[in-house]
Amino acid sequence: MPRHVAVIMDGNVRWARQRGLPSSAGHEAGVRSLRELVELCCRWGVKVLTVFAFSYDNWVEVEFLMKLFEKSIKSELEGFISEGIRISMIGDSSRLPKTLQELVSDAEDRTKNNSNFQLIVAVSYSGKYDVVQACKSIAQKVKDDVVRRDDIDKSLIEQELETSCTDYPYPGILIRTSRELRVSNFLLWQLAYTEFFFVQTLWPDFGKAEFVDALTSFQQRKRRYGRRDS
Amino acid sequence: MVRYDDAGGAAATTPTQLLESLGSFMRRCLFRVLAVGPIPHHFAFIMDGNRRYAKKLNVEEGAGHKEGFSSLISVLKYCYELGVKYVTIYAFSIDNFQRKPAEVQNLMDLLLEKINELLKEQSIVNLYGIRVYFIGNLKFLSEPVRVAAEEVMMATARNSKVVLLVCLAYTSADEIVHAVQESCKNKSDESLAVNANQVSNGVINGAEKVEKIYSLTVPSIEESCKEKASRVCNGAIERVKGTEDINGATVCTDGVSCDYKSEAQALRAGRIGNGVTEGFEEKQGNNPIINLVDVEKHMYMAVAPDPDILMRSSGETRLSNFLLWQTSNCLLDSPAALWPEIGLWDLVWTVLNFQRNHSFLEKKKKQL
């Protein structure tokens, strides 16, 4: 079982259009899919789930998505606290409305000691942004003589990435729905050895059966990390 | 499937030669049809499956790698004939050094043999006018391999038709670490030079200081800007049309002007479909420690635009620390065939997928 699962939740708008519904309905259905996935992960021993809300129409619907995110945190927070779920956000939070920033910060604070399961939500995030901000922190440390330039190595970068909020920053599997065959600037450094699983299903239709398929495929793969088959 | 041997031809009887010519003619016709749609500018390959192929055929591992090399030559020829300008291959990862010493030695010997062959007159390099880059931390290689690689890079430096990037002793993590180290060194050298200028002039003047900083940074930006902006812009132009950013990119390609803002715009234009602004582009005058442009400038792969397609053979769907930075928006393809089995139809199928995705993305861009 992978300790860390990453998901690009793609296809909400297409799902809604197929049913003649407004895209907001698609996003709400997407939230239900996410809730189900969180429950399955908790039950099956996955420790971390990182999710990336993706849509080509992000710009148009960003206000709705922000409101939905706010509503979801408010309704789920007590449940997370009681179930020992930690919530974290990665991404450029300065771009969020002030109320949402405070809500997220409060939720992170109140759940920071939970250790059963961690849900990481990537909002206004890109893998390149994460690497660059890590590099900037390191460059500042070099400038301040805290770190020597020659001592810059992989583990120093890992420590500065936003995913250092978890003990398992490297997803074993990345699932992307709606059959887009690209990473779309989601995680970058963290995906070095991640198994990708691209599935035709649209995100609101992604459920237990599809998750089982993905996990089965993961378990069958031989992960060599550049070395020989055993 | 027509296969080319290492020397680029075959000792053949007339009927075989006729068949090969016919095959070549039909292939070129097929490529002309494909070229009606967009052709990827840069195609990257993870050549996976040589050892499994050898096992499948019950031959020794070395034979699998040799077949893999033949496959590579064919694929290169198809790509360049199709009109792909850049091809990148993952020849040897830093992780591969952890394999058994005997296997590593075999691979190094094969690499040295093939690198030396590239210097021969009738090699594929001269046939297609290929400029070759060896990308990676070359100091990890043994001296004969490193020296041979450097010789090939020098010998092909004037070729300009197409480019082959061979990733050797490479991982993305190492590339990024190296880029950060170089960026820090660059910034520190720049600020030392600025301080030296200020001391020699005896006066610190706000506007003068900004000019001095600018005059130091402009050459280094311009030098890499033209090449980088044109490569970024070429990729951007194919993927994003009809936007304001493209105008900035077009200006860069013409080389008429290439300021920091246009370059950043072109880079942003190249980042399609993620639906979020990165938020880390620096406004002029913020004086960052290092930024995106600094890191990108010092990547080993800064000599080429980002790949449009990354194909990994043998059905595995992972990047294995290959081009993580450069493939953030790249189409990923994983045909089931093992690398020595990869042929024309796998390429054609992937290009068709690329064209289909490309028109979908274009449609989405227009909707925004």
Side-chain angles (χ1 to χ4, degrees):
Chain A
M1 190 63 67
R3 281 194 282 210
H4 182 165
V5 172
V7 180
I8 300 178
M9 306 180 292
D10 194 3
N12 291 342
V13 173
R14 246 171 291 176
W15 183 92
R17 289 212 180 113
Q18 277 176 6
R19 287 153 180 76
L21 296 169
S23 23
S24 52
H27 291 305
E28 278 164 352
V31 170
R32 289 194 288 275
S33 262
L34 175 56
R35 205 177 287 128
E36 188 187 342
L37 184 62
V38 168
E39 280 170 32
L40 290 170
C41 285
C42 286
R43 233 190 293 156
W44 293 347
V46 173
K47 295 303 284 178
V48 183
L49 173 67
T50 301
V51 295
F52 185 52
F54 180 84
S55 168
Y56 287 110
D57 301 317
N58 252 354
W59 287 116
V60 170
E61 290 161 5
V62 72
E63 212 184 291
F64 175 80
L65 284 169
M66 293 294 138
K67 289 204 170 95
L68 187 60
F69 187 34
E70 202 172 319
K71 182 176 138 192
S72 305
I73 297 180
K74 282 179 180 159
S75 64
E76 303 297 325
L77 186 55
E78 294 308 321
F80 283 169
I81 292 171
S82 63
E83 286 163 43
I85 296 176
R86 181 181 170 188
I87 184 160
S88 306
M89 202 202 89
I90 57 174
D92 189 0
S93 60
S94 68
R95 298 183 159 266
L96 304 182
K98 272 271 173 296
T99 47
L100 186 52
Q101 281 185 47
E102 283 162 15
L103 188 67
V104 166
S105 184
D106 178 60
E108 283 180 323
D109 205 48
R110 288 172 71 188
T111 59
K112 69 173 186 263
N113 293 321
N114 290 353
S115 56
N116 283 352
F117 175 77
Q118 185 172 13
L119 173 65
I120 300 176
V121 185
V123 180
S124 195
Y125 176 89
S126 89
K128 274 194 187 172
Y129 147 83
D130 200 1
V131 171
V132 171
Q133 68 80 24
C135 295
K136 277 191 185 157
S137 300
I138 292 170
Q140 185 66 58
K141 287 181 176 167
V142 167
K143 196 178 175 220
D144 297 340
D145 282 327
V146 173
V147 160
R148 288 186 319 163
R149 196 176 59 228
D150 291 337
D151 290 341
I152 299 174
D153 62 8
K154 286 191 298 185
S155 46
L156 205 59
I157 293 183
E158 274 160 30
Q159 284 163 32
E160 298 292 338
L161 291 171
E162 298 220 348
T163 44
S164 59
C165 62
T166 175
D167 291 335
Y168 310 106
Y170 295 98
I173 183 169
L174 167 72
I175 300 169
R176 180 169 189 158
T177 50
S178 80
R179 198 70 188 151
E180 258 305 307
L181 301 172
R182 49 190 96 223
V183 171
S184 296
N185 219 343
F186 183 25
L187 300 169
L188 190 158
W189 179 278
Q190 302 86 341
L191 295 182
Y193 301 100
T194 303
E195 297 287 338
F196 294 168
F197 190 78
F198 297 107
V199 60
Q200 191 88 32
T201 320
L202 303 174
W203 176 245
D205 291 329
F206 187 90
K208 187 172 169 185
E210 290 75 19
F211 192 37
V212 165
D213 272 344
L215 293 176
T216 313
S217 170
F218 172 79
Q219 283 164 354
Q220 283 168 356
R221 295 185 192 186
K222 287 189 178 163
R223 308 183 76 195
R224 299 186 296 272
Y225 300 95
R227 298 186 282 270
R228 221 203 138 82
D229 283 342
S230 52
Chain B
M1 175 182 69
V2 178
R3 272 293 177 84
Y4 291 87
D5 64 22
D6 294 351
T13 59
T14 311
T16 317
Q17 281 176 327
L18 270 173
L19 267 173
E20 279 183 8
S21 297
L22 182 63
S24 176
F25 173 73
M26 288 179 66
R27 191 176 65 249
R28 282 174 215 271
C29 288
L30 172 64
F31 287 166
R32 288 239 170 90
V33 169
L34 271 183
V36 168
I39 293 296
H41 200 55
H42 183 171
F43 213 143
F45 295 96
I46 301 180
M47 306 178 292
D48 198 5
N50 291 340
R51 293 177 297 174
R52 268 168 284 171
Y53 181 78
K55 216 168 164 177
K56 193 170 155 183
L57 261 55
N58 233 349
V59 295
E60 53 148 25
E61 232 170 55
H65 289 303
K66 287 201 164 113
E67 279 298 311
F69 184 78
S70 292
S71 190
L72 169 62
I73 297 295
S74 299
V75 164
L76 286 179
K77 290 182 176 178
Y78 298 151
C79 283
Y80 297 137
E81 281 176 17
L82 181 56
V84 176
K85 166 116 190 202
Y86 295 86
V87 174
T88 301
I89 58 172
Y90 202 10
F92 196 86
S93 159
I94 294 175
D95 296 330
N96 295 153
F97 281 116
Q98 293 172 59
R99 292 186 182 176
K100 283 188 188 161
E103 189 189 343
V104 173
Q105 191 53 51
N106 275 342
L107 278 166
M108 287 294 139
D109 290 342
L110 180 66
L111 275 166
L112 183 59
E113 183 192 321
K114 297 308 173 190
I115 291 173
N116 282 328
E117 273 178 26
L118 290 176
L119 289 166
K120 290 186 183 153
E121 213 173 289
Q122 65 271 37
S123 78
I124 187 178
V125 152
N126 291 323
L127 192 64
Y128 288 93
I130 307 176
R131 179 166 187 179
V132 182
Y133 289 97
F134 288 94
I135 302 281
N137 208 332
L138 303 186
K139 68 176 192 276
F140 288 152
L141 298 170
S142 64
E143 205 182 316
V145 179
R146 192 179 62 250
V147 164
E150 281 161 6
E151 223 176 294
V152 168
M153 283 199 278
M154 262 177 32
T156 61
R158 287 212 179 89
N159 292 351
S160 58
K161 288 202 183 126
V162 290
V163 182
L164 172 64
L165 301 110
V166 183
C167 289
L168 212 48
Y170 174 92
T171 59
S172 272
D174 182 75
E175 183 183 28
I176 292 170
V177 165
H178 173 262
V180 178
Q181 285 171 337
E182 290 299 303
S183 300
C184 288
K185 178 171 183 294
N186 211 21
K187 284 286 170 181
S188 140
D189 290 348
E190 269 172 23
S191 68
L192 280 175
V194 165
N195 289 338
N197 268 338
Q198 288 168 349
V199 164
S200 69
N201 285 344
V203 171
I204 294 172
N205 176 311
E208 198 181 357
K209 183 179 172 186
V210 168
E211 268 174 35
K212 281 190 172 97
I213 290 170
Y214 190 71
S215 73
L216 281 168
T217 56
V218 164
S220 60
I221 286 177
E222 267 180 356
E223 188 183 287
S224 68
C225 192
K226 272 197 185 132
E227 168 149 19
K228 192 150 53 74
S230 71
R231 63 164 174 88
V232 166
C233 295
N234 287 341
I237 286 166
E238 277 153 19
R239 283 177 291 197
V240 181
K241 288 196 160 70
T243 65
E244 275 181 3
D245 284 347
I246 250 328
N247 294 332
T250 312
V251 167
C252 289
T253 311
D254 291 342
V256 170
S257 74
C258 190
D259 57 46
Y260 181 96
K261 199 168 162 222
S262 303
E263 185 183 344
Q265 278 178 339
L267 281 167
R268 279 202 296 280
R271 291 181 221 117
I272 44 168
N274 69 345
V276 294
T277 53
E278 273 70 13
F280 52 80
E281 293 88 6
E282 300 297 341
K283 301 180 183 88
Q284 278 178 330
N286 273 1
N287 195 21
I289 301 290
I290 61 176
N291 56 24
L292 173 80
V293 172
D294 295 311
V295 173
E296 288 210 318
K297 188 163 73 176
H298 291 107
M299 297 286 240
Y300 296 135
M301 284 292 293
V303 294
D306 290 346
D308 300 292
I309 308 178
L310 169 58
M311 180 199 276
R312 180 175 187 145
S313 53
S314 80
E316 306 282 2
T317 48
R318 56 179 179 265
L319 295 174
S320 296
N321 223 327
F322 182 55
L323 304 186
L324 300 176
W325 181 273
Q326 295 83 358
T327 56
S328 50
N329 280 306
C330 175
L331 178 68
L332 305 173
D333 187 43
S334 48
L338 304 173
W339 179 252
E341 296 166 341
I342 289 285
L344 178 64
W345 295 110
D346 298 292
L347 278 177
V348 168
W349 184 248
T350 303
V351 171
L352 284 170
N353 263 339
F354 167 78
Q355 291 179 338
R356 198 167 42 90
N357 253 268
H358 192 261
S359 55
F360 172 73
L361 284 172
E362 291 300 297
K363 214 167 68 173
K364 282 290 153 190
K365 290 294 150 297
K366 285 185 184 126
Q367 282 174 2
L368 283 175

